[in-house]
Amino acid sequence: MLQAMVSDFAATARQDGKFPIVVVLNDKGYEDHLIQVLLPRLGQEAIPYVSTHAIAPASNLSNFVGDGHFTQSANQRIATVLTVINPSLVSL
């Protein structure tokens, strides 16, 4: 079902003349499990993606505060990558 959602998202974005990109936010304690599930579909359909596990690994608990959100430092690293992909995000 998740793979179908990703496919539908990318197809709809492309039909609308948009550039689809999937951003995978990996939860504390789940390492890169979500991106591993999605990689076959992302590759098959040439859907670009960013996985936070490559930027702020979910296996490194120092990337998270007590409630499970990313630390300010991890947020900054993720934001830097996203703004390289889409500079208009700088104003967010």
Side-chain angles (χ1 to χ4, degrees), residues 1-85:
M1 179 160 200
L2 180 59
Q3 289 88 348
M5 288 172 57
V6 167
S7 294
D8 289 347
F9 158 72
T12 301
R14 288 174 174 148
Q15 288 169 359
D16 292 345
K18 306 288 183 186
F19 179 77
I21 184 163
V22 171
V23 178
V24 177
L25 301 172
N26 297 279
D27 286 343
K28 176 171 70 172
Y30 287 94
E31 303 196 16
D32 65 347
H33 299 157
L34 183 56
I35 193 62
Q36 291 303 322
V37 168
L38 291 174
L39 276 175
R41 182 64 57 102
L42 295 170
Q44 287 171 345
E45 299 186 24
I47 301 169
Y49 68 90
V50 171
S51 174
T52 59
H53 190 72
I55 305 162
S59 56
N60 182 345
L61 297 182
S62 70
N63 287 315
F64 298 91
V65 295
D67 68 359
H69 287 89
F70 287 112
T71 63
Q72 186 64 23
S73 174
N75 280 330
Q76 186 58 48
R77 292 192 309 272
I78 295 164
T80 298
V81 170
L82 294 176
T83 55
V84 167
I85 295 166

